[in-house]
Amino acid sequence: MIRSIRQEFDQNILEQRFMLTLLIIVLLSFILFVRVAYLQIAQHDRFKLLSQENHIDRVPLVPVRGLILDRNEEILAHNVQVFNLEILPDLVPDLDRYLYELSHLIELTIEDIEELKATLELRPSFERQTLKTNLTDEQVAIFSVNQHRFPGVELRVDLQRDYPYGGLTAHVVGYVGRISPDNRELIYEQGGYEGISYIGKIGIESQYESTLKGQPGHSQVEMNAHGRIVRHLRQDLPNSGQTLHLGLDIMLQKESMEALEGYEGSVVAIEPKTGEILALASAPTYDPNLFINGISQTRYLQLNTSELKPLFNRSIYGQYAPGSTIKGFISLVGLEHGFKHDREVFCPGWYSLPNNQRRYRCWKRSGHGLVNGDAAIERSCDVYYYDLAIRLGIERLQAGLTRFGFGRKTGIDLDKERSGLMPNMEWKQKTQNQPWYPGDTVNTGIGQGYMLMTPIQLASMTAILANRGVAITPRLLKMLENPITQKTESQVIPEKKQIELRQVEFYDQVIESMRRVVHSANGTARSINNGMLYEMAGKTGTAQVIGIPQGQDYDEKNTPKKYRDHSLFIGFAPIDDPQIAIAVIVENGGSGSKVAAPIARRLVDYYLQERLNMFASDVDASSSSTS
């Protein structure tokens, strides 16, 4: 009986052990099943690519970024050969150790390492990433000798952007930079950036990024255990970016920057018939090549905090009181509303509103005497325009000037253009919570007060005047070229709009008055006409930076430079067949006739008498050789 009980006890133990073993097997099988399901379903795509990566690598082929040329096919942006260090994270067992040891062979900055790690957080580990760009010959030699110690790290020959004219084109062409965390997610959503590490940051490089970057290709390669390519299996070649031809004349741009040397300011020149930008200069400037591989924090801080603001593109971002440069346009508004050009106003050197003792001074303290519309532009009589502005009223003035583009963006193909400001009653009430006073209208009549304009706006409106009312959107891009077929494709001609006036002769009347500004004995810009071989229509402007209290005189010599008047000039030439319209603004330069006007004369001379004649000679020589 005892034996029977013991056998039964042993049987129960065996059964319990069997059940426990079975439970463990079932539990382990369940865990294994869950893990396999996770790997097969949730991680299917990743491990499929990784399994292929062990044998076949799908290597992106980076397209060649398109060139940027000026109107005469001078290279403004191209690609140069450099050595880069790339890393394939999946083949790197210990990234931190690799980076530590590599930093003893070649210089790796904190920015290099942080940028790589930030990229790895967003990109798949089986994609190659750039660790170090633009290695020197010495660094290439050192790494080549030690490459066997770093499986998964390769030295590659790549193309890097280069700007041969440096600061001359910084504010126009812009620059490319390495793709940052700020724009990675957007770029990866759009696609087409496999293997591409750079993107246009500002300027034309940014505006036409999709056109310039091209489309990546891919190469399937067989690789060994060390990550080296054994053979190529198949290739889908990349499509190179298109070549951009700009209307810019780099030699006129160079001449413009030289003319602005020592000043802060801007020059914008436009070909009136086409709207093509011939020059868009902003001074001072900077070297865009510094930004391609990441500028140092110290250097960037120097540029960003400089009082001269070299990073600031004054041509499209700078907003200035236009001063007397707008008087011709105010005359056009006056003519539209029945204030004839032969209407006369007496200028004693000041103007007062009815029942108001305040005197709004004319720049000529002794006054101009009796002046009509023609003489008012020629001599830049402030009193005439004080009176005309009051007679028109701010609403008619605002509506009339807006037709010519005041207070509106021009539509130039550069990002973040500013609109300037054409104020009126509604604007002041909304922004200042104050009523509009007659004195505000008086100041607006001479381009002061709240009115603001950008250099590109001034140049664009000067081109409208040169075209006798035909407004053409200013453009930098002239045409595209396929780099393979070398076929060019002209851009869609920018929209043209005729600004109709009651009488077309109104344009001729104002243009004649502006011709007298330069060519008559009493014109404010008469000092620049000596030896001029063409006729120019122009208008000087001097814009106050700070107000002058009643009873006090402006003393330029004893005024700190940052508070001195801005110097302005607009003009176009030749009058009978306009080839160039120009706007010059020199910050704190003083009188428009003394500083801005001579700069404009120098640049128009250069363009009409040297550049155009030069190319006319080239065409004649080509025709003769063909004959």
Side-chain angles (χ1 to χ4, degrees), residues 246-265:
L246 306 186
L248 195 81
D249 186 320
I250 189 58
M251 299 313 294
L252 180 62
Q253 179 82 358
K254 182 173 184 279
E255 192 76 11
S256 300
M257 290 299 295
E258 289 177 356
L260 288 172
E261 188 173 357
Y263 296 113
E264 295 91 62

Side-chain angles (χ1 to χ4, degrees), residues 487-525:
K487 290 184 178 180
T488 58
E489 174 189 345
S490 296
Q491 282 302 97
V492 176
I493 298 175
E495 180 184 358
K496 291 185 178 182
K497 180 179 67 175
Q498 177 70 51
I499 302 174
E500 300 283 355
L501 298 181
R502 288 190 300 108
Q503 296 180 33
V504 71
E505 292 78 12
F506 292 162
Y507 285 113
D508 293 326
Q509 290 179 31
V510 169
I511 289 171
E512 170 56 24
S513 299
M514 291 176 64
R515 185 197 69 80
R516 293 175 63 83
V517 169
V518 177
H519 296 280
S520 79
N522 295 316
T524 54

Side-chain angles (χ1 to χ4, degrees), residues 327-488:
K327 288 177 177 174
F329 296 95
I330 293 179
S331 284
L332 287 175
V333 177
L335 287 166
E336 271 290 275
H337 289 282
F339 296 96
K340 296 182 179 180
H341 217 46
D342 57 5
R343 184 181 68 93
E344 294 184 327
V345 172
F346 182 75
C347 171
W350 51 269
Y351 175 83
S352 288
L353 291 163
N355 303 317
N356 192 317
Q357 294 183 347
R358 178 174 178 177
R359 290 186 171 184
Y360 297 88
R361 294 172 294 192
C362 184
W363 70 268
K364 187 176 182 181
R365 295 306 175 86
S366 60
H368 291 95
L370 204 60
V371 293
N372 59 16
D374 193 42
I377 294 177
E378 175 190 352
R379 304 175 190 177
S380 198
C381 176
D382 293 333
V383 170
Y384 182 92
Y385 287 96
Y386 292 147
D387 178 76
L388 181 56
I390 289 295
R391 291 176 183 274
L392 284 168
I394 189 57
E395 294 305 321
R396 288 199 296 184
L397 197 57
Q398 188 261 356
L401 292 177
T402 300
R403 296 180 66 200
F404 293 99
F406 286 71
R408 293 180 177 175
K409 296 179 181 179
T410 65
I412 185 176
D413 46 344
L414 285 179
D415 193 26
K416 299 178 181 177
E417 177 194 3
R418 299 177 78 175
S419 64
L421 175 62
M422 184 62 231
N424 62 1
M425 294 180 182
E426 182 182 354
W427 170 85
K428 189 178 181 185
Q429 187 64 50
K430 183 178 179 180
T431 61
Q432 309 282 325
N433 196 28
Q434 292 180 359
W436 185 270
Y437 298 109
D440 296 327
T441 304
V442 171
N443 285 327
T444 303
I446 61 165
Q448 292 282 173
Y450 299 110
M451 184 183 289
L452 294 172
M453 295 189 69
T454 64
I456 182 63
Q457 285 178 314
L458 281 172
S460 178
M461 288 183 293
T462 305
I464 292 173
L465 198 57
N467 288 335
R468 274 67 173 177
V470 178
I472 304 177
T473 304
R475 303 285 292 178
L476 282 160
L477 182 60
K478 184 175 183 178
M479 62 183 177
L480 301 175
E481 178 185 341
N482 185 307
I484 305 301
T485 64
Q486 295 186 334
K487 290 184 178 180
T488 58

Side-chain angles (χ1 to χ4, degrees), residues 561-578:
K561 182 182 176 183
K562 64 180 180 180
Y563 298 129
R564 293 176 186 171
D565 296 342
H566 293 329
S567 177
L568 302 94
F569 183 85
I570 63 170
F572 64 88
I575 290 177
D576 57 347
D577 183 23

Side-chain angles (χ1 to χ4, degrees), residues 19-87:
M19 292 301 295
L20 179 62
T21 302
L22 183 61
L23 181 63
I24 291 173
I25 291 173
V26 171
L27 181 63
L28 291 175
S29 298
F30 178 75
I31 293 173
L32 180 61
F33 174 78
V34 171
R35 179 62 177 167
V36 169
Y38 172 74
L39 294 177
Q40 288 292 328
I41 299 174
Q43 296 289 303
H44 174 267
D45 292 339
R46 179 172 182 270
F47 282 98
K48 180 182 178 182
L49 287 171
L50 286 176
S51 65
Q52 293 176 351
E53 188 72 20
N54 292 331
H55 308 284
I56 298 174
D57 188 12
R58 188 169 181 266
V59 180
L61 300 176
V62 181
V64 177
R65 193 171 180 88
L67 303 179
I68 301 177
L69 311 177
D70 85 334
R71 70 191 297 111
N72 302 307
E73 301 195 0
E74 292 290 330
I75 295 175
L76 307 181
H78 64 152
N79 310 291
V80 294
Q81 195 176 78
V82 295
F83 287 96
N84 292 337
L85 204 60
E86 294 186 353
I87 188 167

